[in-house]
mmCIF file of all heavy atoms in Angstrom:
data_model
loop_
_atom_site.group_PDB
_atom_site.id
_atom_site.type_symbol
_atom_site.label_atom_id
_atom_site.label_comp_id
_atom_site.label_asym_id
_atom_site.label_seq_id
_atom_site.Cartn_x
_atom_site.Cartn_y
_atom_site.Cartn_z
ATOM 1 N N GLU A 1 0.826 -1.201 0.000
ATOM 2 C CA GLU A 1 0.000 0.000 0.000
ATOM 3 C C GLU A 1 0.865 1.257 0.000
ATOM 4 O O GLU A 1 1.998 1.245 0.482
ATOM 5 C CB GLU A 1 -0.920 0.032 1.228
ATOM 6 C CG GLU A 1 -1.801 -1.195 1.397
ATOM 7 C CD GLU A 1 -1.220 -2.198 2.370
ATOM 8 O OE1 GLU A 1 0.026 -2.245 2.516
ATOM 9 O OE2 GLU A 1 -2.005 -2.937 2.997
ATOM 10 N N SER A 2 0.291 2.348 -0.494
ATOM 11 C CA SER A 2 0.927 3.651 -0.445
ATOM 12 C C SER A 2 -0.145 4.732 -0.499
ATOM 13 O O SER A 2 -1.289 4.461 -0.859
ATOM 14 C CB SER A 2 1.922 3.833 -1.594
ATOM 15 O OG SER A 2 1.270 3.775 -2.848
ATOM 16 N N GLY A 3 0.227 5.959 -0.141
ATOM 17 C CA GLY A 3 -0.675 7.089 -0.256
ATOM 18 C C GLY A 3 -1.238 7.618 1.040
ATOM 19 O O GLY A 3 -1.948 8.627 1.036
ATOM 20 N N GLY A 4 -0.962 6.965 2.152
ATOM 21 C CA GLY A 4 -1.458 7.444 3.426
ATOM 22 C C GLY A 4 -0.744 8.712 3.859
ATOM 23 O O GLY A 4 0.288 9.080 3.311
ATOM 24 N N GLY A 5 -1.307 9.389 4.852
ATOM 25 C CA GLY A 5 -0.707 10.612 5.350
ATOM 26 C C GLY A 5 -1.660 11.388 6.216
ATOM 27 O O GLY A 5 -2.684 10.875 6.668
ATOM 28 N N LEU A 6 -1.309 12.649 6.456
ATOM 29 C CA LEU A 6 -2.101 13.559 7.283
ATOM 30 C C LEU A 6 -2.894 14.498 6.392
ATOM 31 O O LEU A 6 -2.341 15.105 5.475
ATOM 32 C CB LEU A 6 -1.186 14.355 8.211
ATOM 33 C CG LEU A 6 -1.836 15.440 9.070
ATOM 34 C CD1 LEU A 6 -2.809 14.813 10.061
ATOM 35 C CD2 LEU A 6 -0.763 16.244 9.789
ATOM 36 N N VAL A 7 -4.187 14.636 6.676
ATOM 37 C CA VAL A 7 -5.053 15.506 5.894
ATOM 38 C C VAL A 7 -6.068 16.164 6.820
ATOM 39 O O VAL A 7 -6.441 15.599 7.848
ATOM 40 C CB VAL A 7 -5.759 14.710 4.768
ATOM 41 C CG1 VAL A 7 -6.716 13.676 5.355
ATOM 42 C CG2 VAL A 7 -6.487 15.638 3.813
ATOM 43 N N GLN A 8 -6.505 17.369 6.474
ATOM 44 C CA GLN A 8 -7.516 18.073 7.254
ATOM 45 C C GLN A 8 -8.903 17.514 6.966
ATOM 46 O O GLN A 8 -9.162 16.978 5.888
ATOM 47 C CB GLN A 8 -7.511 19.566 6.932
ATOM 48 C CG GLN A 8 -6.247 20.294 7.309
ATOM 49 C CD GLN A 8 -6.345 21.782 7.045
ATOM 50 O OE1 GLN A 8 -6.205 22.595 7.963
ATOM 51 N NE2 GLN A 8 -6.598 22.150 5.801
ATOM 52 N N ALA A 9 -9.796 17.636 7.931
ATOM 53 C CA ALA A 9 -11.181 17.226 7.729
ATOM 54 C C ALA A 9 -11.757 17.919 6.503
ATOM 55 O O ALA A 9 -11.552 19.116 6.298
ATOM 56 C CB ALA A 9 -12.014 17.546 8.962
ATOM 57 N N GLY A 10 -12.469 17.156 5.686
ATOM 58 C CA GLY A 10 -13.023 17.671 4.446
ATOM 59 C C GLY A 10 -12.116 17.486 3.249
ATOM 60 O O GLY A 10 -12.559 17.687 2.108
ATOM 61 N N GLY A 11 -10.882 17.091 3.480
ATOM 62 C CA GLY A 11 -9.926 16.894 2.410
ATOM 63 C C GLY A 11 -10.023 15.527 1.774
ATOM 64 O O GLY A 11 -10.908 14.731 2.086
ATOM 65 N N SER A 12 -9.067 15.244 0.875
ATOM 66 C CA SER A 12 -9.073 14.001 0.105
ATOM 67 C C SER A 12 -7.706 13.348 0.097
ATOM 68 O O SER A 12 -6.677 14.011 0.210
ATOM 69 C CB SER A 12 -9.497 14.269 -1.341
ATOM 70 O OG SER A 12 -10.802 14.813 -1.421
ATOM 71 N N LEU A 13 -7.707 12.027 -0.057
ATOM 72 C CA LEU A 13 -6.505 11.232 -0.247
ATOM 73 C C LEU A 13 -6.828 10.097 -1.201
ATOM 74 O O LEU A 13 -7.980 9.650 -1.264
ATOM 75 C CB LEU A 13 -5.994 10.636 1.064
ATOM 76 C CG LEU A 13 -5.216 11.517 2.034
ATOM 77 C CD1 LEU A 13 -4.924 10.726 3.311
ATOM 78 C CD2 LEU A 13 -3.925 12.001 1.411
ATOM 79 N N ARG A 14 -5.825 9.620 -1.930
ATOM 80 C CA ARG A 14 -5.989 8.436 -2.756
ATOM 81 C C ARG A 14 -4.955 7.395 -2.360
ATOM 82 O O ARG A 14 -3.747 7.634 -2.450
ATOM 83 C CB ARG A 14 -5.852 8.741 -4.253
ATOM 84 C CG ARG A 14 -6.250 7.538 -5.123
ATOM 85 C CD ARG A 14 -6.222 7.818 -6.603
ATOM 86 N NE ARG A 14 -4.880 7.784 -7.151
ATOM 87 C CZ ARG A 14 -4.594 7.506 -8.423
ATOM 88 N NH1 ARG A 14 -5.589 7.244 -9.274
ATOM 89 N NH2 ARG A 14 -3.348 7.515 -8.837
ATOM 90 N N LEU A 15 -5.433 6.242 -1.922
ATOM 91 C CA LEU A 15 -4.570 5.129 -1.569
ATOM 92 C C LEU A 15 -4.378 4.214 -2.771
ATOM 93 O O LEU A 15 -5.282 4.047 -3.589
ATOM 94 C CB LEU A 15 -5.167 4.322 -0.415
ATOM 95 C CG LEU A 15 -5.525 5.088 0.861
ATOM 96 C CD1 LEU A 15 -6.049 4.115 1.914
ATOM 97 C CD2 LEU A 15 -4.331 5.869 1.379
ATOM 98 N N SER A 16 -3.191 3.618 -2.866
ATOM 99 C CA SER A 16 -2.886 2.673 -3.928
ATOM 100 C C SER A 16 -2.409 1.362 -3.319
ATOM 101 O O SER A 16 -1.782 1.355 -2.256
ATOM 102 C CB SER A 16 -1.804 3.219 -4.860
ATOM 103 O OG SER A 16 -2.210 4.410 -5.484
ATOM 104 N N CYS A 17 -2.692 0.263 -4.003
ATOM 105 C CA CYS A 17 -2.222 -1.053 -3.587
ATOM 106 C C CYS A 17 -1.749 -1.803 -4.817
ATOM 107 O O CYS A 17 -2.554 -2.123 -5.700
ATOM 108 C CB CYS A 17 -3.329 -1.828 -2.874
ATOM 109 S SG CYS A 17 -2.864 -3.514 -2.413
ATOM 110 N N ALA A 18 -0.455 -2.078 -4.882
ATOM 111 C CA ALA A 18 0.133 -2.787 -6.003
ATOM 112 C C ALA A 18 0.311 -4.264 -5.661
ATOM 113 O O ALA A 18 0.894 -4.598 -4.628
ATOM 114 C CB ALA A 18 1.477 -2.171 -6.371
ATOM 115 N N ALA A 19 -0.194 -5.129 -6.522
ATOM 116 C CA ALA A 19 -0.071 -6.573 -6.341
ATOM 117 C C ALA A 19 1.037 -7.114 -7.238
ATOM 118 O O ALA A 19 1.148 -6.735 -8.402
ATOM 119 C CB ALA A 19 -1.387 -7.271 -6.660
ATOM 120 N N SER A 20 1.846 -8.011 -6.694
ATOM 121 C CA SER A 20 2.918 -8.640 -7.460
ATOM 122 C C SER A 20 2.979 -10.124 -7.123
ATOM 123 O O SER A 20 2.310 -10.596 -6.213
ATOM 124 C CB SER A 20 4.263 -7.967 -7.183
ATOM 125 O OG SER A 20 4.609 -8.078 -5.811
ATOM 126 N N GLY A 21 3.814 -10.866 -7.867
ATOM 127 C CA GLY A 21 3.882 -12.302 -7.684
ATOM 128 C C GLY A 21 2.791 -12.986 -8.482
ATOM 129 O O GLY A 21 2.490 -12.592 -9.607
ATOM 130 N N ARG A 22 2.161 -14.005 -7.888
ATOM 131 C CA ARG A 22 1.103 -14.734 -8.570
ATOM 132 C C ARG A 22 -0.198 -13.954 -8.505
ATOM 133 O O ARG A 22 -0.781 -13.817 -7.428
ATOM 134 C CB ARG A 22 0.906 -16.118 -7.966
ATOM 135 C CG ARG A 22 -0.211 -16.907 -8.642
ATOM 136 C CD ARG A 22 -0.533 -18.201 -7.905
ATOM 137 N NE ARG A 22 -1.637 -18.905 -8.549
ATOM 138 C CZ ARG A 22 -2.926 -18.706 -8.294
ATOM 139 N NH1 ARG A 22 -3.276 -17.806 -7.381
ATOM 140 N NH2 ARG A 22 -3.856 -19.392 -8.933
ATOM 141 N N THR A 23 -0.658 -13.442 -9.636
ATOM 142 C CA THR A 23 -1.918 -12.719 -9.705
ATOM 143 C C THR A 23 -2.931 -13.387 -10.626
ATOM 144 O O THR A 23 -4.084 -12.953 -10.675
ATOM 145 C CB THR A 23 -1.706 -11.270 -10.172
ATOM 146 O OG1 THR A 23 -1.078 -11.268 -11.452
ATOM 147 C CG2 THR A 23 -0.843 -10.509 -9.176
ATOM 148 N N PHE A 24 -2.532 -14.427 -11.348
ATOM 149 C CA PHE A 24 -3.456 -15.128 -12.231
ATOM 150 C C PHE A 24 -4.575 -15.763 -11.408
ATOM 151 O O PHE A 24 -4.316 -16.439 -10.419
ATOM 152 C CB PHE A 24 -2.735 -16.197 -13.046
ATOM 153 C CG PHE A 24 -3.632 -16.952 -13.991
ATOM 154 C CD1 PHE A 24 -3.999 -16.397 -15.199
ATOM 155 C CD2 PHE A 24 -4.110 -18.208 -13.665
ATOM 156 C CE1 PHE A 24 -4.837 -17.082 -16.077
ATOM 157 C CE2 PHE A 24 -4.945 -18.902 -14.527
ATOM 158 C CZ PHE A 24 -5.308 -18.327 -15.740
ATOM 159 N N GLY A 25 -5.798 -15.544 -11.827
ATOM 160 C CA GLY A 25 -6.943 -16.078 -11.116
ATOM 161 C C GLY A 25 -7.426 -15.229 -9.957
ATOM 162 O O GLY A 25 -8.310 -15.661 -9.214
ATOM 163 N N LEU A 26 -6.868 -14.030 -9.794
ATOM 164 C CA LEU A 26 -7.296 -13.133 -8.731
ATOM 165 C C LEU A 26 -8.785 -12.830 -8.874
ATOM 166 O O LEU A 26 -9.240 -12.434 -9.943
ATOM 167 C CB LEU A 26 -6.477 -11.850 -8.775
ATOM 168 C CG LEU A 26 -6.744 -10.807 -7.692
ATOM 169 C CD1 LEU A 26 -6.377 -11.357 -6.320
ATOM 170 C CD2 LEU A 26 -5.963 -9.535 -7.984
#
């Protein structure tokens, strides 16, 4: 995961999650 942090109320954030290794059949 990535993208976490500190933000003020009412603000926005976008988190990302990169998958690697065996992903066939996910």
Side-chain angles (χ1 to χ4, degrees):
E1 305 97 332
S2 62
L6 175 65
V7 65
Q8 296 184 121
S12 299
L13 282 175
R14 189 176 79 154
L15 305 182
S16 299
C17 176
S20 61
R22 179 188 178 273
T23 58
F24 181 79
L26 183 64

